[in-house]
Amino acid sequence: MEKNNEVLDFGYCGEVCRSGFSPTCRAEARPTPDGLAVLRILRWMLALLLGMAFTQTALAAESAGKILSFTGDVQLLHGTEKRLPEKHGDLYSGDTIVTGAGRVQIRFADGTLLSLYNDTKFAVDDYHYGHGNGDRAHFSLLSGLMHTLTGMIDKHNYKLTTRMATLGVRGTEYSVQLDKTLHVSVDQGQVSLANAGGSVLVGAGQSLIISGPNVMPPPREGGKINLGGRGPGAGRGGPPGGSGAGRPGMGGSGAGAGGSPPPPPPGTAKL
């Protein structure tokens, strides 16, 4: 092609095309063997990138669990997005559950049951179940009170992070309250706690109160968290008079004598 006394070589047909894209020149323009190889590589790379994008999108949309029930002020946050909970609605990795004067019960995909009480902020940092070696349950309790019964997830891949310590589990039902201190009490199994002050195992019937991220006291017998109340002094021991004050998340009555842990929410076996 000749334009403004310049000659442009398009390099396909091996000749200088002086009359623009003539039919003859276009017909002769064929990719070389090296060009075909490059095109194949580019197509393969494009297919790979599209597949990876699809996989990441699918994982991002994977349901981590469902809301069994809730009452009062409960919100779900995901980045800048805010949404209200729905019964049997899905939760996803990256969601943060915030309660004001409200409570919520959640069942995760592996069967883990979780109850969050008033004035609690809990994050589902990274949860995947059903992917073999990729299974993991990483949570954060930022503030408030929770009670949980762990499910089928590999306990080596379970982690609850707080600003005072990191918790792991060994087939466990336990409660955690986080305000000015971190209070952990265990009903079944064992909970491991670690921070800059060391690490300990808390067994069934034991509890632990941590006052800072550099302090790790030994566990003590008793000291069960009171799931019936929130506010100053709540959670520092069993309920008075040997009676519980509320099932997890529902605020009803009748937890059982001696402050025994609330049973799983009714109807969860069918879900």
Side-chain angles (χ1 to χ4, degrees):
M1 180 184 296
E2 193 171 293
K3 186 176 181 180
N4 296 329
N5 297 321
E6 294 181 359
V7 177
L8 304 180
D9 187 352
F10 289 91
Y12 278 97
C13 58
E15 300 177 358
V16 175
C17 189
R18 298 179 179 276
S19 57
F21 278 117
S22 67
T24 301
C25 188
R26 286 198 299 269
E28 292 177 356
R30 296 288 186 273
T32 63
D34 289 342
L36 287 172
V38 171
L39 286 174
R40 291 192 187 99
I41 292 173
L42 290 174
R43 288 172 182 166
W44 179 82
M45 291 178 65
L46 179 60
L48 179 62
L49 289 172
L50 289 173
M52 291 174 64
F54 177 81
T55 300
Q56 292 298 320
T57 301
L59 287 175
E62 174 190 2
S63 175
K66 292 186 179 296
I67 295 173
L68 297 179
S69 57
F70 65 95
T71 184
D73 180 16
V74 180
Q75 293 184 342
L76 306 177
L77 308 179
H78 193 106
T80 59
E81 176 190 354
K82 181 185 296 184
R83 67 186 193 275
L84 295 177
E86 298 178 356
K87 188 174 182 179
H88 297 165
D90 289 313
L91 286 175
Y92 302 95
S93 285
D95 278 350
T96 297
I97 305 101
V98 181
T99 68
R103 304 181 181 187
V104 60
Q105 292 177 326
I106 297 162
R107 180 171 184 149
F108 287 93
D110 69 304
T112 291
L113 294 172
L114 172 69
S115 294
L116 303 178
Y117 293 76
N118 296 351
D119 304 317
T120 295
K121 191 172 184 180
F122 179 93
V124 183
D125 297 322
D126 187 10
Y127 183 96
H128 297 289
Y129 180 70
H131 301 286
N133 293 333
D135 288 354
R136 55 195 177 275
H138 296 169
F139 306 119
S140 291
L141 179 65
L142 305 173
S143 61
L145 176 62
M146 59 168 276
H147 178 85
T148 188
L149 174 63
T150 58
M152 299 297 293
I153 199 81
D154 186 344
K155 303 307 182 288
H156 293 93
N157 296 326
Y158 179 103
K159 179 173 67 174
L160 176 70
T161 301
T162 76
R163 68 178 183 273
M164 300 280 191
T166 299
L167 289 75
V169 297
R170 300 183 181 181
T172 310
E173 181 178 5
Y174 69 98
S175 303
V176 181
Q177 184 171 20
L178 178 63
D179 42 43
K180 293 182 179 179
T181 61
L182 176 67
H183 185 185
V184 179
S185 67
V186 179
D187 299 300
Q188 301 178 45
Q190 291 181 313
V191 169
S192 63
L193 293 101
N195 63 13
S199 61
V200 297
L201 284 177
V202 184
Q206 295 182 322
S207 67
L208 185 67
I209 296 178
I210 300 175
S211 59
N214 299 313
V215 179
M216 184 59 71
R220 64 187 179 95
E221 297 298 323
K224 179 178 172 58
I225 291 176
N226 177 5
L227 297 173
R230 291 290 288 120
R236 299 310 177 203
S243 61
R247 305 185 64 173
M250 289 297 94
S253 61
S260 59
T268 56
K270 300 178 181 178
L271 299 178

